[in-house]
């Protein structure tokens, strides 16, 4: 397995360009299965989750041309099978989007139960509730989810839990259902709006994405389109924290400032200076930073995917900070790794109490999941001495060229292949 070796305490300066949003791309690429025509999709992040999904779509029969580093041309006309190969797809949680897309296209879908990060129990009961409300029969057996119907019909669906995945999956299945579907209590993340905009560019009739009610009038057919994916709000937030944690000065380009509002608001409360431009934010530290209280919430609240990164920053700011994780029940596992670097964090249930210290010290740590892995890199950037981050395959799932982008900002970070254990043989 590869590792990152980081030498900390270098203030990061300069400009960084943000890639396309992973969690929008995974849903939009899956949604392209709904039509027989060609879709050209660009600003796709070149990350492992996207590569796995594209491979699984090719395995189904989709024709995919890789036009550019971040652009593909997809034609799914040749897809005849609605069963998704288990080996491909157990690795990524977003496999479940193929359920909604294949069900919408073939009235049938069989996809492996989702894999993904171990940040808590990742149920799919709301997805199933939505599919059943639309008239599908859903069975879960032998690690596979099988959904089938004689014809999807619009329905009123109230989500008991605000769920990004369930909101998107129901939109995918309802786009060509007969009649109108109303989703109440939907997720409102930027990528929900992006998926709805993509579907509408294919001829769908979806209104209200990003609000408390999404209304989908079923259409008979969808057509091909050309579409550009929004920038990744979480990648952008991660680089904002990199500026704060190293006392640097970074301009983050190719972003939509509105998507960054909750992250900018909390960093401003901490004392970080943020200058807003049309498609960029400049983030720098020009005064002492202070501890805060923070609770993760569905959008437009502070995103759970930024929780490990902001906790890491606060572990290096004097004072007592309190972080409440309200979305996932097991998203503080990485704090044990931060403690190995000297952080003083007490976790009680879904709350972390942080006693900030002036310096973390470099150590060997292991990434337990994608965003915690990014947080451990940030910890290494801010720590005294050398930090080794193991299990970086998690980080490669969602951050494009992270070491190159950080090195361009002045970070001392290299990717190496883990040294095999030295075998010590006793001569007898
Ligand atoms: C998406 O996961 C993202 N993943 C996650 O990002 C992100 O943390 C999460 O949304 C919240 O924003 C992708 O888009 C691929 P949810 P998802 O359904 O859809 C509960 C990353 O780092 N729930 O919004 O799985 C669930 O247990 C990843 O990029 C149910 O109870 O999240 C959780 O507590 C990590 N029943 C809450 O809802 C369901 O049927 C939110 O989950 C579905 C979810």
């Amino acid at each position: 397995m590869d590792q990152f070796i980081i030498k900390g305490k270098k203030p990061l300066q300069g400009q960084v360009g943000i890639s396309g949003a992973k969690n929008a791309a995974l849903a939009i690429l899956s949604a392209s299965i709904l039509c027989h025509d060609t879709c050209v999709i660009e600003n796709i992040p070149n990350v492992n989750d996207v590569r796995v999904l594209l491979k699984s779509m090719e395995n189904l029969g989709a024709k995919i041309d890789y036009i550019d580093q971040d652009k593909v041309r997809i034609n799914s006309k040749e897809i005849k099978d609605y069963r998704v190969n288990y080996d491909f797809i157990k690795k990524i949680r977003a496999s479940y989007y193929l359920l909604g897309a294949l069900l919408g296209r073939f009235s049938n879908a069989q996809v492996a139960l989702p894999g993904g990060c171990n940040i808590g129990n990742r149920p799919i009961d709301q997805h199933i509730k939505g599919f059943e409300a639309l008239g599908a029969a859903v069975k879960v057996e032998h690690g596979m989810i099988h959904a089938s119907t004689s014809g999807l019909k619009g329905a009123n669906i109230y989500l008991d839990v605000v769920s990004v995945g369930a909101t998107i999956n129901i939109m995918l299945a309802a786009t060509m259902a007969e009649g109108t579907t109303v989703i109440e209590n939907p997720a409102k993340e930027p990528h929900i709006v992006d998926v709805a905009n993509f579907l509408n560019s294919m001829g769908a009739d979806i209104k209200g994405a990003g609000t408390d009610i999404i209304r989908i009038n079923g259409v008979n057919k969808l057509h091909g389109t050309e579409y550009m994916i929004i920038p990744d709000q979480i990648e952008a937030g991660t680089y904002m924290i990199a500026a704060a944690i190293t006392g640097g000065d970074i301009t983050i380009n190719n972003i939509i400032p509105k998507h960054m509002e909750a992250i900018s608001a909390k960093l401003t409360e901490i004392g970080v200076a943020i200058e807003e431009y049309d498609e960029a934010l400049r983030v720098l530290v020009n005064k002492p930073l202070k501890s805060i209280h923070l609770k993760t919430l569905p959008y437009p609240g502070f995103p759970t995917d930024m929780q490990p990164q902001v906790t890491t920053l606060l572990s290096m700011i004097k004072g007592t900070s309190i972080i409440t994780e309200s979305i996932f029940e097991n998203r503080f596992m990485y704090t044990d790794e931060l403690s190995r670097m000297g952080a003083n964090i007490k976790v009680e249930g879904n709350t972390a109490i942080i006693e900030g210290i002036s310096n973390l010290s470099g150590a060997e740590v292991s990434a337990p999941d994608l965003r915690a892995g990014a947080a451990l890199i940030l910890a290494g950037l801010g720590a005294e001495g050398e930090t080794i981050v193991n299990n970086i395959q998690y980080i490669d799932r969602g951050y494009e060229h992270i070491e190159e982008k950080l090195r361009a900002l002045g970070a001392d970070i290299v990717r190496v292949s883990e040294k095999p254990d030295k075998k010590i043989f006793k001569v007898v």
Side-chain angles (χ1 to χ4, degrees):
M1 295 291 183
D2 287 357
Q3 305 171 310
F4 282 133
I5 298 179
I6 300 158
K7 290 193 178 53
K9 282 282 176 240
K10 292 178 174 46
L12 300 191
Q13 320 223 300
Q15 313 227 4
V16 63
I18 297 305
S19 305
K22 162 180 87 85
N23 293 344
L26 294 169
I28 286 170
L29 292 169
S30 303
S32 68
I33 287 177
L34 285 165
C35 85
H36 294 236
D37 301 338
T38 297
C39 295
V40 176
I41 302 167
E42 58 185 308
N43 204 30
I44 300 173
N46 183 9
V47 295
N48 204 43
D49 275 10
V50 166
R51 289 192 288 270
V52 168
L53 179 66
L54 286 169
K55 274 272 161 293
S56 68
M57 288 171 65
E58 284 179 315
N59 190 265
L60 280 173
K63 294 272 167 297
I64 300 180
D65 301 319
Y66 297 80
I67 306 171
D68 205 341
Q69 155 93 338
D70 69 348
K71 191 172 177 181
V72 294
R73 181 187 302 114
I74 299 178
N75 186 298
S76 303
K77 191 169 61 181
E78 295 308 315
I79 292 183
K80 298 281 179 279
D81 194 354
Y82 57 79
R83 285 182 300 253
V84 180
N85 183 314
Y86 176 67
D87 293 343
F88 268 119
I89 220 59
K90 63 179 185 294
K91 303 180 195 118
I92 62 167
R93 179 162 180 77
S95 52
Y96 53 42
Y97 290 140
L98 291 171
L99 264 177
L102 291 167
L103 184 64
R105 162 103 177 252
F106 295 106
S107 300
N108 230 320
Q110 201 171 317
V111 177
L113 273 167
C117 285
N118 47 359
I119 53 178
N121 171 27
R122 308 290 292 272
I124 56 164
D125 58 301
Q126 299 299 304
H127 300 241
I128 294 172
K129 173 180 179 179
F131 293 150
E132 288 177 340
L134 293 169
V138 183
K139 268 201 328 279
V140 180
E141 52 189 13
H142 311 307
M144 300 293 281
I145 314 163
H146 187 178
S148 59
T149 176
S150 54
L152 294 172
K153 291 206 175 16
N156 279 14
I157 301 161
Y158 176 84
L159 290 180
D160 306 310
V161 182
V162 174
S163 161
V164 167
T167 304
I168 290 176
N169 240 340
I170 294 165
M171 271 201 300
L172 296 179
T175 297
M176 291 189 284
E178 190 193 322
T180 298
T181 297
V182 175
I183 307 175
E184 291 184 73
N185 195 30
K188 304 176 203 156
E189 274 69 6
H191 32 295
I192 302 280
V193 178
D194 212 25
V195 173
N197 290 340
F198 173 74
L199 290 167
N200 284 338
S201 78
M202 293 166 82
D205 179 1
I206 300 174
K207 293 186 179 61
T211 73
D212 292 321
I213 302 245
I214 299 178
R215 193 176 297 278
I216 304 149
N217 295 315
V219 297
N220 294 327
K221 198 167 153 21
L222 296 174
H223 53 70
T225 185
E226 302 214 350
Y227 196 78
M228 178 175 279
I229 288 170
I230 55 170
D232 194 311
Q233 137 202 70
I234 305 301
E235 185 195 17
T238 304
Y239 285 100
M240 292 173 79
I241 302 255
I245 216 163
T246 60
D249 180 344
I250 300 179
T251 297
I252 297 156
N253 295 317
N254 182 31
I255 56 126
I256 299 173
K258 170 126 189 66
H259 294 168
M260 307 308 298
E261 277 174 358
I263 300 167
S264 296
K266 294 311 278 186
L267 285 179
T268 302
E269 191 183 330
I270 289 173
V272 179
I274 299 176
E275 294 168 12
E276 184 175 308
Y277 301 94
D278 286 352
E279 295 182 348
L281 291 176
R282 182 186 173 204
V283 183
L284 67 149
V285 177
N286 56 14
K287 65 182 181 186
L289 303 181
K290 65 186 186 55
S291 57
I292 62 162
H293 291 189
L294 182 148
K295 180 173 185 178
T296 66
L297 288 166
Y299 193 87
F302 189 89
T304 176
D305 290 349
M306 282 297 301
Q307 180 259 93
Q309 299 92 313
V310 76
T311 300
T312 301
L313 170 63
L314 292 166
S315 73
M316 296 175 69
I317 296 174
K318 276 217 162 315
T320 304
S321 294
I322 297 180
I323 303 269
T324 306
E325 170 56 58
S326 74
I327 309 291
F328 292 108
E329 65 278 358
N330 188 23
R331 199 164 200 174
F332 285 120
M333 279 196 311
Y334 66 93
T335 54
D336 293 341
E337 298 299 302
L338 284 181
S339 307
R340 296 167 44 72
M341 300 176 71
N344 180 351
I345 302 175
K346 209 145 92 44
V347 176
E348 285 167 11
N350 66 346
T351 300
I353 298 141
I354 305 159
E355 292 303 336
I357 59 169
S358 45
N359 269 314
L360 293 182
S361 60
E364 182 158 1
V365 291
S366 281
D369 63 67
L370 163 57
R371 304 301 175 185
L376 292 174
I377 292 177
L378 296 173
L381 293 170
E384 296 276 0
E386 180 178 275
T387 297
I388 297 174
V389 181
N390 292 306
N391 286 342
I392 61 174
Q393 69 279 7
Y394 283 117
I395 302 167
D396 290 333
R397 294 182 52 190
Y399 286 90
E400 183 182 77
H401 306 320
I402 188 164
E403 71 266 36
E404 291 88 346
K405 291 188 180 184
L406 286 171
R407 267 205 297 275
L409 293 167
D412 182 343
I413 176 171
V414 287
R415 179 190 290 258
V416 296
S417 294
E418 194 170 3
K419 298 182 213 47
D421 286 345
K422 288 183 285 305
K423 293 270 174 289
I424 298 160
F425 297 98
K426 218 188 339 279
V427 180
V428 290

